[in-house]
């Protein structure tokens, strides 16, 4: 039924062609079928979609658990992780579906703007949708043809692939997600976090079912087998380029359809937050992936080792860098120079968060905040001297 070896059966060739078309067709159909303009309709749609995801995630977990208990006399930690779907493709899909489920449930019951939801939605759009596109071109990433017991999981994988398309597009449709190229860094940060978790599990465990993390199947199809982690230097940039192209296309179509004009960002008086928020966003996009490759280089042996826990370091660093960027953006919008006052709580908060994200960057931020404070004091002193001089001149003229 799901045999993708089209050298054996013409049905497999047909499946590889019709499956992507069917997924795209159903996604488009859902887009036009589910209007959901009222708040009640939106809430019901979100709850239904989130519940579908939760049900299938739980079903897959139970299915794997029962199957592994029957296949293995010893139910190891690696087997437990496998029951969660921890291999290269299942892990990313699972994390994307968990993120989608959280976004749907939380936004269904909360109308407040939330930085966390904003981050998750842009991750779904910037990473989830391109990931689904890649799966359409490689149906074997969706369907596993090992044995007949996998067929129910194949159906779940097809549904999840469809949802990686539909959920971010649905958020755009109801106006809760506005594609903007300046937000693409959030998607890269989200990808770094997911890659950190996946690589941690792939290195710590030693199940043969996650051996896919030790090579790139895409490069192998091209006749090039590059050992882990060196293929990451090729596959990660290539994947992010595809993500950016997809994100750009969606943004372009969104602006054309909604007639949303390109607006210049508000420039506040103090450029400190512009400069350092840009630096923070750059750190989010670079340091995590760089550390992952370094850790991967140290732990090239695919045997399970606790060295993989070091992959959690870029996860933590990226989380705090994203937090720092949001805090800086908040202060930039307030445009209140009192943040540079000595002992200001908000300044201390930014410094502490940035120190956790990246110690060197945090020290630079602390130093620069002090320099800004001194510059502001000097400026005010100059302004006061100028005011006193003008006042004295006016008094002399009157006399």
């Amino acid at each position: 039924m799901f045999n993708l070896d089209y050298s054996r059966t013409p049905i497999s060739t047909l499946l590889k062609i019709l499956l992507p078309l069917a997924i795209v067709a159903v996604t488009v159909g859902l887009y036009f079928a589910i209007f959901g303009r009222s708040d009640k309709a939106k809430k019901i749609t979100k709850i239904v979609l989130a519940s579908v995801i939760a049900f299938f995630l739980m079903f897959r977990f139970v299915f794997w658990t029962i199957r592994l208990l029957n296949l293995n006399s010893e139910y190891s930690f690696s087997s437990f992780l496998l029951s969660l779907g921890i291999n290269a493709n299942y892990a990313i899909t699972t994390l994307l579906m968990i993120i989608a489920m959280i976004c749907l449930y939380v936004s269904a019951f909360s109308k407040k703007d939330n930085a966390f939801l904003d981050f998750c939605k842009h991750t779904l759009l910037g990473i989830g949708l391109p990931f689904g596109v890649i799966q359409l071109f490689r149906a074997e990433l969706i369907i596993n043809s090992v044995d007949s017991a996998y067929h129910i999981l194949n159906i779940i994988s097809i549904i999840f692939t469809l949802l990686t398309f539909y959920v971010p597009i649905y958020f755009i449709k109801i106006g809760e997600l506005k594609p903007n190229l300046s937000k693409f860094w959030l998607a890269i940060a989200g990808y770094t976090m997911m890659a950190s978790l996946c690589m941690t599990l792939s290195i710590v465990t030693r199940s043969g079912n996650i051996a896919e993390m030790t090579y790139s199947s895409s490069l192998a199809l091209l006749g090039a087998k590059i050992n882990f982690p060196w293929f990451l230097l090729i596959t990660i940039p290539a994947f992010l380029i595809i993500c950016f192209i997809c994100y750009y296309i969606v943004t372009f179509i969104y602006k054309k359809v909604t007639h949303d004009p390109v607006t210049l960002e508000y420039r506040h008086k103090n450029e400190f937050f512009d400069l350092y928020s840009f630096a923070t966003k750059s750190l989010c996009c670079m340091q995590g992936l760089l550390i992952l490759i370094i850790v991967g280089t140290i732990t090239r042996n695919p045997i399970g080792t606790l060295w993989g826990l070091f992959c959690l370091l870029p996860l933590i660093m990226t989380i705090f860098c994203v937090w720092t960027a949001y805090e800086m953006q908040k202060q930039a919008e307030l445009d209140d120079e009192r943040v540079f006052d000595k002992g200001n709580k908000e300044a201390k908060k930014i410094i502490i968060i940035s120190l956790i994200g990246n110690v060197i960057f945090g020290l630079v931020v602390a130093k620069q905040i002090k320099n800004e404070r001194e510059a502001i004091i000097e400026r005010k002193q100059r302004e006061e001297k100028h005011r006193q001089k003008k006042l004295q001149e006016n008094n002399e003229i009157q006399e």
Side-chain angles (χ1 to χ4, degrees):
M1 178 181 177
F2 288 111
N3 181 10
L4 294 179
D5 186 359
Y6 50 89
S7 63
R8 297 181 181 178
T9 169
I11 297 178
S12 299
T13 306
L14 190 63
L15 179 64
K16 294 187 73 170
I17 297 173
L18 292 182
L19 180 61
L21 294 177
I23 291 175
V24 173
V26 173
T27 303
V28 174
L30 286 174
Y31 179 83
F32 290 103
I34 302 178
F35 291 99
R37 293 183 179 180
S38 67
D39 291 339
K40 185 177 180 180
K42 292 176 184 177
K43 184 175 182 178
I44 293 173
T45 302
K46 289 176 182 178
I47 293 174
V48 170
L49 288 174
S51 299
V52 168
I53 294 172
F55 171 78
F56 283 123
L57 284 174
M58 184 58 65
F59 181 89
R60 191 167 68 178
F61 169 76
V62 173
F63 176 91
W64 267 115
T65 302
I66 295 174
R67 182 162 171 77
L68 289 168
L69 283 172
N70 292 331
L71 292 177
N72 299 295
S73 57
E74 296 183 1
Y75 192 45
S76 64
F77 175 66
S78 298
S79 299
F80 170 75
L81 291 175
L82 182 60
S83 67
L84 294 174
I86 303 303
N87 63 42
N89 297 312
Y90 268 37
I92 294 292
T93 304
T94 301
L95 290 172
L96 287 170
M97 288 298 99
I98 291 173
I99 292 172
M101 182 179 64
I102 292 172
C103 286
L104 289 166
Y105 272 136
V106 174
S107 62
F109 296 99
S110 176
K111 295 182 179 180
K112 295 181 179 179
D113 292 334
N114 190 307
F116 173 73
L117 284 182
D118 182 59
F119 170 76
C120 290
K121 289 174 183 176
H122 281 282
T123 299
L124 285 174
L125 177 61
I127 301 299
L129 194 148
F131 187 73
V133 171
I134 293 173
Q135 288 182 317
L136 291 185
F137 286 96
R138 291 192 58 195
E140 61 269 24
L141 295 178
I142 306 173
I143 294 175
N144 192 321
S145 57
V146 175
D147 58 41
S148 60
Y150 285 82
H151 289 345
I152 185 65
L153 297 183
N154 288 332
I155 295 173
I156 294 175
S157 296
I158 293 171
I159 293 173
F160 281 171
T161 301
L162 187 150
L163 290 175
T164 58
F165 282 94
Y166 183 71
V167 173
I169 292 176
Y170 176 72
F171 280 123
I172 294 175
K173 178 181 179 180
I174 62 178
E176 293 186 10
L177 175 59
K178 295 183 179 181
N180 193 317
L181 292 179
S182 64
K183 294 275 190 176
F184 182 69
W185 72 275
L186 292 173
I188 301 179
Y191 177 69
T192 303
M193 294 183 193
M194 289 190 291
S196 299
L197 289 173
C198 292
M199 198 174 294
T200 297
L201 293 171
S202 70
I203 294 176
V204 171
T205 65
R206 54 178 180 177
S207 170
N209 290 280
I210 35 181
E212 186 177 318
M213 291 298 292
T214 63
Y215 71 97
S216 171
S217 57
S218 299
L219 291 175
L221 287 175
L222 298 175
K225 184 177 180 180
I226 304 175
N227 292 330
F228 176 79
W230 307 113
F231 72 86
L232 297 177
L233 294 171
I234 300 174
T235 56
I236 289 178
F239 175 67
L240 292 178
I241 289 172
I242 294 173
C243 290
F244 179 77
I245 292 172
C246 292
Y247 196 94
Y248 179 83
I249 293 172
V250 172
T251 303
F252 178 79
I253 295 173
Y254 172 79
K255 291 186 180 295
K256 286 294 182 181
V257 172
T258 60
H259 304 290
D260 186 18
V262 178
T263 56
L264 295 176
E265 292 185 1
Y266 169 66
R267 301 290 297 180
H268 49 81
K269 296 177 183 177
N270 195 301
E271 295 184 354
F272 170 84
F273 293 108
D274 272 342
L275 177 62
Y276 282 84
S277 63
F278 174 78
T280 307
K281 294 170 185 178
S282 300
L283 283 172
C284 287
C285 298
M286 294 187 295
Q287 70 176 7
L289 295 174
L290 179 62
I291 294 174
L292 281 178
I293 294 173
I294 293 174
V295 173
T297 304
I298 298 173
T299 58
R300 280 184 293 175
N301 191 340
I303 298 176
T305 169
L306 291 179
W307 277 100
L309 294 177
F310 280 97
C311 292
L312 295 178
L313 179 61
L315 171 67
I316 296 170
M317 294 172 72
T318 304
I319 290 173
F320 281 93
C321 279
V322 173
W323 190 0
T324 303
Y326 270 113
E327 289 297 325
M328 289 183 169
Q329 183 178 341
K330 187 194 303 181
Q331 293 302 316
E333 292 171 353
L334 292 173
D335 191 23
D336 188 351
E337 287 189 345
R338 287 178 296 180
V339 70
F340 296 108
D341 292 347
K342 192 172 184 178
N344 184 278
K345 292 182 180 179
E346 292 301 323
K348 286 183 177 179
K349 182 179 179 180
I350 290 175
I351 293 171
I352 292 172
I353 297 172
S354 61
L355 279 169
I356 299 174
N358 186 293
V359 176
I360 297 176
F361 179 73
L363 293 173
V364 173
V365 170
K367 174 63 176 175
Q368 190 60 28
I369 285 180
K370 181 181 178 182
N371 293 342
E372 291 290 330
R373 179 169 63 247
E374 293 174 352
I376 291 171
I377 292 173
E378 291 177 1
R379 190 192 72 210
K380 289 181 177 179
Q381 288 175 347
R382 290 196 303 270
E383 291 175 350
E384 179 61 23
K385 287 181 180 180
H386 182 71
R387 191 187 69 82
Q388 291 291 342
K389 183 178 179 181
K390 283 289 185 182
L391 182 61
Q392 184 178 357
E393 289 177 353
N394 291 335
N395 290 335
E396 290 176 355
I397 292 172
Q398 292 177 358
E399 292 177 357

